[in-house]
Amino acid sequence: MPSRRLTPVALAAALIGLPAFAQQANAPKPSAELDKVVVTGIRATLERSLIDKRNAGANVDVITALEVGKMPDKNLADSLQRVPGVAVRTDYDEAEKVSMRGTNPDMSLILFNGHTVSGGDWYISDQGSSSRSTSLSLMPSSVLNKATVYKTSQANIADGGLAGTINVTTRKPLEQRERFGAFASVGLVHATLPDKTSPQLNASFNWKNEAESLGVIAQVFKEKRYVRRDSASRFAYGVSSGWDVINTSTMLGITDASLAGTGLKASDLNGVRMPGSMSSEFVEGVRDRKGAMLALQARLSKELEVGATGFYSEMGGNNYGRLYSGAMYSMLLGWGGTTGASSPFTNSGGQRVYAQIKNPVIAQETTVYGHTLNVLRSADIVFPDGTTPQYIGNMEGFVRNGASASSGFLDLDATWRPNSKMVVKGLLSTTKGVGRTNLDQGITYARYGTGVRYALRDVDQAPFMEYLGAGANLPVRNPDGSGYALISRGASSVKTVDSETSCAVDASYKQDDGVLDSLDFGARRADHRRNLYRWAPSLRSSTLTGPDPSLAVGFPADFGSGLGGSFDTTGFYYPRQAVIDYIGTQFRNVSTEFDRRVAGEIEMKERQTAFYAQQNFDAGRWSGNLGLRMVRTEVDAQIATPVSATICNKIEPGKPVVPCARFPTAINTASDGTSYLEGVPFNPAQGTTYYKVPTYRTFDHLLPSMNLRWEPIEDVIVRLGISKTLGRQNYNIYGVGFTGQTCNAQGCSVNGPNPSLSPMTAHNTDLSLAWFYAKRSLLQLSFFDSLLRGLAKTGAVRQGETIELTDPVDNTAKTYFINTASQQRARIQGWELGWEQPLWGGFGVTANASLADTTVEDGRPMPGASRKAGNLGFYYENDLFSVRLLTNYRGDYVMTTTAPAPTANSQGLSTINGQQMPTASTIQAPVTNVALHANWNISKALQLSFSGTNLTNPARAQYRYSELEPQKVDSSGRQYYLELRYKH
């Protein structure tokens, strides 16, 4: 029998958990199998997860299906955020994107049954971003059998998870305990902010024959939920957006005289940071998720098993957003519109006028970079007395009709055992995800008045804000010039299609040769496609006429009630159908081909080939694996390339299609913004025509890995993992089109993709100490270190890449240098602490915390990296009743679009009061969420369940250089679920 004497390491762990150990000193130890007395519910699922974690060769965390059933989780991302080191991005009131250990969601690989799964995004900005992150909003938690979170890599895991890999397995029919089982759940969900209730349905059954050679599992789900988000932000357009500095040389209304009585001079305001706008946003929508899963499995002989699993989920996500924004910065510059320097000037009595700053309150902040800056926390931004009403902001409403996402896959798998030592598994899979918005349609009004008054509050509270002299809250312009005027209407469509077909063969040979346990080897081939399409219909007329003003309505009385502020909610908006009806009269129904926006398309093929070998060994207290994975990535992108329409004339709809003589592949049937007004002759030489230029690159990588597992004494396990992992760049890095051609004395340049940007790699070290000190009990501490190479550094900077383009000025071919993204290094270091402990009488606690310190070569924060995260949960369970209360915390992190374009200026510098510093990023403030789940076992077969999520109705806040610069705060309300469950 192994010695029970504690080593110094084990003694240290024992001292940490001494109180818990004392309570469980006589508890039985966990084994590789559950006890004969079957425990069900929360305790059984925790035990099963810990057994899988304990026996794993690598550092993993495990979530089982029953555990998900005991959590208030509605999709897979909700469940995964309970794992140490895993954080989620939440949109509205639901978790969607998963990130690991201080990285972006793009760097985490999500697998289903060992293969990648294509997913669509429901929101239009995500649809157009072309990132690699998988939206799990389409995946209800009820579909999984087990989710294994790999913190350390192994050669036999599919490549692509730079920060980690999550493999979700679905249920297999022949692995079910009962020959026949059925489950049905019907219920309701009530969302408090929209104050609407909707139905929920989930049903499944499993069957296998008496010989246990044939089985089937079928599941259907239909879940509908209404959503609403109230927001206060700095968002607007042009110079009105975000934050900037006061400059009295261009803001001529700020004078010593205008500041009389404040104790300040105009020069004192130079360089002071101020919000460019004060905005409020009201968004309503629906999440209508439905789908099904079917799994078949047959044991054809003792040696051969085959199976098929099909899954499909789609979600309707129609949404309607209404935005009010104040244009304080534009007012100070004397601009009368929203598009910056090209805007018309303000005009009062034939003179350009500039807004003044009255009653300023200035505070000092220390930025995230350590600089000291001044912030204009409150002020009246007003035009001089006697000025006629001027432009003070915007109102817009955009209905996103036909917004939806879908995801599906089909697996064909086989397991062959030719002899007692050899197992060969084959997997053929195909997956497809689609995200689309059929029509993003809306209208924009300019608002006219005499000023805007504001006062900022805490970062998680809405500011005080008020529009001055704006007249009646109707979509009309008053005789004195106040009120509203329609300035634009727009419509566009987007569709992204992500698909992959893959084939994998994995073999394992049992060696039984001393310490050599088994040899794993195999190969995988995947063909991946990513296509992004954009369209925009043509206007019928250039004349602006708005909807019937009598159709306008006011904001609801409770708008912004959860934001803790007092901002102006006056104004109007048009009901959803009124916007749709109006837009239907403004645009021509020409053709899908003519409406194309080729400049914004992405067309990519990516082929992945991998071979691996992994030696597993077991020497008693020592075990582990050593492996090597060889990977080739081939990228084939078709880049939208511009040529003047004077060279390649566009084809008017209905006319014969004639290829362009100079560029035969030019897509001259697409308008790409060319006007096609009714009654106006078509000009075939206007604008830009695009053709596709192929770029092809091949990247090869060797990915070694080693995992050591040491059990120095019983129940104490030390793990060491060393690996090199691979993460592929987002699709738009390679596939975005060329824009901004310029030629000067220094040569020609153009903004565009960088085809030579190699995939990212990470050299990882992971050390963990786990103490399974009692049944269903664990104390674990892990340390990790990752050195990243190849992190994309976006920005329009010349990198040495060139492309042959036609100069639109003289129509000659020239060599252009590409301004595009570069690459840099980064490092992530941190620790994770996890604790699980039954207490007494059915009570128990689970807790974990993680810290990840990130450093990037250019000194900026790493987007998406939360330094701190944690979970705390309490549960109680007996034969009749169970309840679980869970709290999740995520610290602040730098926000970014899902996949910023390679030329996005995320690396800009600003000079403020003579100090040069990085341009402020948007930072998500810390947020804590509380959820509750309770079950009452009415009978052995019948259960009543109640869940509550977002119970504290947390305000999700964002800021810029510091919390004294709040950027946005929003609230989505609480959700309550009541379900009746039947299990046979």
Side-chain angles (χ1 to χ4, degrees):
M1 183 176 178
S3 171
R4 298 288 296 177
R5 184 171 61 86
L6 292 177
T7 66
V9 173
L11 179 60
L15 292 175
I16 295 173
L18 186 58
F21 180 80
Q23 295 172 18
Q24 298 292 328
N26 298 317
K29 302 299 177 185
S31 62
E33 300 293 334
L34 293 175
D35 292 343
K36 292 182 179 179
V37 177
V38 177
V39 179
T40 61
I42 297 173
R43 291 168 294 177
T45 57
L46 291 175
E47 183 174 351
R48 181 73 261 170
S49 295
L50 290 188
I51 290 173
D52 289 344
K53 179 179 178 67
R54 175 174 181 156
N55 293 336
N59 184 7
V60 303
D61 283 287
V62 180
I63 301 174
T64 65
L66 285 175
E67 186 175 356
V68 171
K70 301 300 179 184
M71 285 184 175
D73 301 328
K74 300 307 170 185
N75 72 36
L76 190 54
D78 284 330
S79 303
L80 290 169
Q81 69 178 324
R82 319 288 179 198
V83 174
V86 174
V88 298
R89 193 193 81 179
T90 299
D91 284 328
Y92 294 83
D93 54 3
E94 186 173 15
E96 289 201 17
K97 309 274 187 173
V98 173
S99 61
M100 298 177 63
R101 289 185 164 177
T103 59
N104 261 329
D106 310 295
M107 300 179 185
S108 300
L109 180 64
I110 308 292
L111 303 174
F112 268 69
N113 297 327
H115 65 82
T116 57
V117 58
S118 294
D121 290 299
W122 67 272
Y123 191 62
I124 189 167
S125 63
D126 288 337
Q127 291 167 352
S129 69
S130 289
S131 81
R132 290 186 182 271
S133 59
T134 301
S135 175
L136 295 178
S137 60
L138 289 163
M139 313 295 179
S141 57
S142 58
V143 304
L144 72 90
N145 174 54
K146 182 169 66 175
T148 304
V149 181
Y150 288 90
K151 304 292 186 62
T152 57
S153 186
Q154 298 181 163
N156 61 358
I157 300 174
D159 49 87
L162 185 79
T165 302
I166 300 170
N167 186 33
V168 178
T169 59
T170 55
R171 291 186 294 160
K172 293 287 189 179
L174 298 183
E175 295 176 359
Q176 305 309 301
R177 181 177 301 174
E178 304 87 359
R179 282 192 55 207
F180 176 79
F183 173 84
S185 171
V186 293
L188 299 171
V189 55
H190 178 74
T192 59
L193 197 55
D195 194 23
K196 291 183 178 180
T197 303
S198 49
Q200 309 278 290
L201 170 66
N202 200 312
S204 67
F205 80 89
N206 62 278
W207 170 88
K208 59 183 176 181
N209 64 2
E210 188 172 354
E212 297 193 355
S213 60
L214 181 66
V216 60
I217 294 176
Q219 178 181 357
V220 295
F221 54 89
K222 183 173 175 54
E223 302 166 340
K224 185 175 183 179
R225 185 162 54 86
Y226 293 94
V227 297
R228 172 177 152 185
R229 184 178 69 186
D230 295 357
S231 304
S233 72
R234 311 294 83 77
F235 179 78
Y237 294 101
V239 293
S240 302
S241 184
W243 286 75
D244 213 323
V245 296
I246 297 172
N247 183 350
T248 58
S249 66
T250 55
M251 300 173 175
L252 303 183
I254 306 174
T255 64
D256 292 347
S258 70
L259 293 169
T262 65
L264 296 170
K265 294 183 178 180
S267 58
D268 296 330
L269 270 64
N270 275 321
V272 173
R273 299 270 294 170
M274 69 166 287
S277 64
M278 282 289 145
S279 303
S280 57
E281 187 179 14
F282 174 46
V283 182
E284 291 178 300
V286 65
R287 300 281 185 90
D288 194 356
R289 180 170 57 200
K290 55 188 175 183
M293 185 178 70
L294 179 66
L296 305 172
Q297 190 178 15
R299 185 172 291 118
L300 303 180
S301 66
K302 185 178 180 181
E303 294 80 18
L304 182 62
E305 291 180 8
V306 295
T309 302
F311 171 83
Y312 180 77
S313 175
E314 65 178 16
M315 185 174 69
N318 287 346
N319 58 97
Y320 181 19
R322 286 132 286 186
L323 173 74
Y324 265 92
S325 62
M328 293 117 64
Y329 208 80
S330 289
M331 293 162 58
L332 291 168
L333 290 170
W335 286 341
T338 62
T339 57
S342 63
S343 301
F345 296 143
T346 53
N347 188 304
S348 179
Q351 297 293 320
R352 185 178 182 182
V353 291
Y354 298 85
Q356 302 173 339
I357 295 179
K358 301 288 188 181
N359 304 314
V361 175
I362 298 175
Q364 193 175 81
E365 69 172 337
T366 300
T367 73
V368 293
Y369 299 104
H371 301 101
T372 300
L373 297 176
N374 292 324
V375 179
L376 188 65
R377 293 283 292 174
S378 69
D380 299 345
I381 312 297
V382 295
F383 288 100
D385 293 341
T387 303
T388 57
Q390 300 294 314
Y391 169 71
I392 61 170
N394 280 2
M395 172 272 163
E396 72 170 26
F398 271 78
V399 176
R400 292 160 188 117
N401 214 32
S404 65
S406 66
S407 178
F409 62 82
L410 175 63
D411 299 344
L412 301 176
D413 64 271
T415 301
W416 178 44
R417 298 176 177 85
N419 54 53
S420 60
K421 291 190 174 185
M422 190 79 167
V423 178
V424 181
K425 295 182 178 181
L427 176 63
L428 177 65
S429 66
T430 181
T431 178
K432 183 178 181 180
V434 178
R436 69 167 73 228
T437 298
N438 289 341
L439 200 61
D440 179 20
Q441 54 202 307
I443 52 179
T444 301
Y445 281 79
R447 194 176 199 179
Y448 297 88
T450 58
V452 177
R453 177 179 293 135
Y454 79 92
L456 300 176
R457 302 181 187 273
D458 291 340
V459 68
D460 58 353
Q461 290 183 310
F464 167 82
M465 54 188 291
E466 182 181 6
Y467 297 100
L468 306 175
N473 298 319
L474 293 172
V476 295
R477 193 80 180 265
N478 300 311
D480 66 351
S482 64
Y484 300 86
L486 181 67
I487 57 174
S488 70
R489 72 282 204 214
S492 62
S493 305
V494 64
K495 178 182 177 181
T496 179
V497 180
D498 188 88
S499 62
E500 182 175 291
T501 299
S502 63
C503 178
V505 177
D506 300 275
S508 181
Y509 177 72
K510 188 72 173 177
Q511 294 165 300
D512 295 329
D513 183 14
V515 298
L516 301 181
D517 181 62
S518 62
L519 178 65
D520 297 341
F521 53 94
R524 181 177 183 269
R525 168 77 176 193
D527 290 311
H528 199 106
R529 291 175 180 264
R530 181 75 171 208
N531 292 323
L532 171 66
Y533 308 96
R534 295 182 184 273
W535 302 269
S538 300
L539 285 166
R540 293 183 181 275
S541 170
S542 59
T543 303
L544 279 171
T545 56
D548 182 353
S550 67
L551 298 176
V553 298
F555 285 88
D558 66 345
F559 176 56
S561 59
L563 300 179
S566 176
F567 57 90
D568 194 328
T569 59
T570 60
F572 72 94
Y573 69 88
Y574 285 103
R576 177 178 178 274
Q577 192 59 47
V579 175
I580 294 173
D581 292 342
Y582 167 73
I583 292 297
T585 67
Q586 300 297 300
F587 293 91
R588 303 182 67 175
N589 185 15
V590 183
S591 69
T592 302
E593 177 62 21
F594 187 75
D595 290 344
R596 281 178 67 181
R597 295 295 187 264
V598 180
E601 293 181 352
I602 290 178
E603 184 180 349
M604 271 193 60
K605 296 178 183 178
E606 184 178 86
R607 286 168 289 278
Q608 306 164 10
T609 307
F611 301 91
Y612 76 89
Q614 178 175 301
Q615 177 66 64
N616 304 302
F617 55 89
D618 190 343
R621 295 189 180 276
W622 287 91
S623 61
N625 57 68
L626 182 67
L628 178 66
R629 191 174 184 93
M630 297 168 287
V631 181
R632 166 164 288 188
T633 304
E634 301 168 78
V635 179
D636 184 359
Q638 301 290 321
I639 311 300
T641 305
V643 61
S644 172
T646 59
I647 298 175
C648 289
N649 284 180
K650 297 183 180 180
I651 306 297
E652 183 177 1
K655 302 291 185 176
V657 177
V658 180
C660 174
R662 188 165 170 182
F663 296 92
T665 61
I667 308 170
N668 56 5
T669 53
S671 71
D672 269 300
T674 299
S675 63
Y676 190 48
L677 304 175
E678 291 180 342
V680 177
F682 180 75
N683 179 4
Q686 63 176 317
T688 304
T689 302
Y690 291 85
Y691 62 98
K692 299 290 183 76
V693 172
T695 62
Y696 178 84
R697 294 291 190 276
T698 298
F699 306 100
D700 293 319
H701 292 87
L702 294 177
L703 307 177
S705 62
M706 180 185 71
N707 288 279
L708 297 178
R709 181 184 184 275
W710 177 39
E711 192 168 358
I713 61 173
E714 187 177 359
D715 304 326
V716 175
I717 296 175
V718 180
R719 285 188 174 89
L720 173 65
I722 301 174
S723 65
K724 181 180 179 181
T725 52
L726 175 74
R728 296 179 175 89
Q729 304 287 354
N730 285 319
Y731 301 105
N732 62 354
I733 288 288
Y734 300 115
V736 71
F738 291 112
T739 60
Q741 288 179 255
T742 59
C743 291
N744 52 37
Q746 285 71 46
C748 297
S749 63
V750 65
N751 300 329
N754 187 345
S756 296
L757 214 63
S758 63
M760 297 171 286
T761 59
H763 291 80
N764 313 292
T765 303
D766 184 281
L767 177 64
S768 67
L769 171 65
W771 183 22
F772 298 84
Y773 57 87
K775 194 170 186 175
R776 296 189 294 275
S777 300
L778 166 69
L779 184 64
Q780 175 168 318
L781 179 63
S782 300
F783 297 93
F784 57 88
D785 181 289
S786 294
L787 178 61
L788 279 59
R789 291 182 171 88
L791 185 69
K793 180 177 180 178
T794 61
V797 179
R798 182 178 295 189
Q799 302 298 335
E801 294 289 324
T802 61
I803 185 74
E804 293 295 316
L805 297 176
T806 302
D807 189 336
V809 177
D810 58 18
N811 292 338
T812 61
K814 296 179 180 178
T815 299
Y816 283 74
F817 285 93
I818 304 175
N819 298 325
T820 186
S822 60
Q823 296 186 276
Q824 60 181 333
R825 295 189 179 192
R827 191 166 194 170
I828 306 172
Q829 297 174 299
W831 54 262
E832 298 165 352
L833 179 66
W835 177 47
E836 295 188 21
Q837 169 70 61
L839 298 175
W840 65 90
F843 287 94
V845 62
T846 61
N848 61 68
S850 63
L851 184 143
D853 285 315
T854 60
T855 54
V856 182
E857 187 175 341
D858 62 8
R860 298 169 189 260
M862 179 181 288
S866 288
R867 187 172 186 268
K868 298 177 182 178
N871 294 278
L872 178 63
F874 299 94
Y875 65 86
Y876 171 77
E877 182 178 51
N878 60 27
D879 293 337
L880 182 65
F881 183 77
S882 67
V883 63
R884 193 163 193 171
L885 180 67
L886 296 161
T887 300
N888 172 263
Y889 169 83
R890 183 178 184 182
D892 49 9
Y893 61 95
V894 173
M895 296 282 292
T896 180
T897 58
T898 312
T903 56
N905 190 20
S906 61
Q907 307 299 322
L909 295 173
S910 297
T911 300
I912 305 173
N913 288 344
Q915 301 181 83
Q916 191 175 62
M917 63 191 72
T919 301
S921 301
T922 299
I923 301 173
Q924 179 75 45
V927 65
T928 300
N929 206 346
V930 178
L932 173 73
H933 186 84
N935 293 320
W936 173 36
N937 298 320
I938 301 172
S939 66
K940 185 177 180 181
L942 204 61
Q943 184 183 77
L944 186 65
S945 170
F946 171 80
S947 298
T949 59
N950 292 317
L951 290 181
T952 57
N953 189 21
R956 303 180 185 276
Q958 301 169 14
Y959 61 92
R960 298 300 292 272
Y961 275 131
S962 79
E963 291 191 357
L964 289 182
E965 295 188 20
Q967 175 68 11
K968 182 180 181 181
V969 59
D970 63 60
S971 172
S972 296
R974 304 172 179 86
Q975 298 79 43
Y976 299 109
Y977 297 81
L978 185 64
E979 299 171 276
L980 185 63
R981 299 173 174 175
Y982 170 80
K983 183 178 180 181
H984 175 77

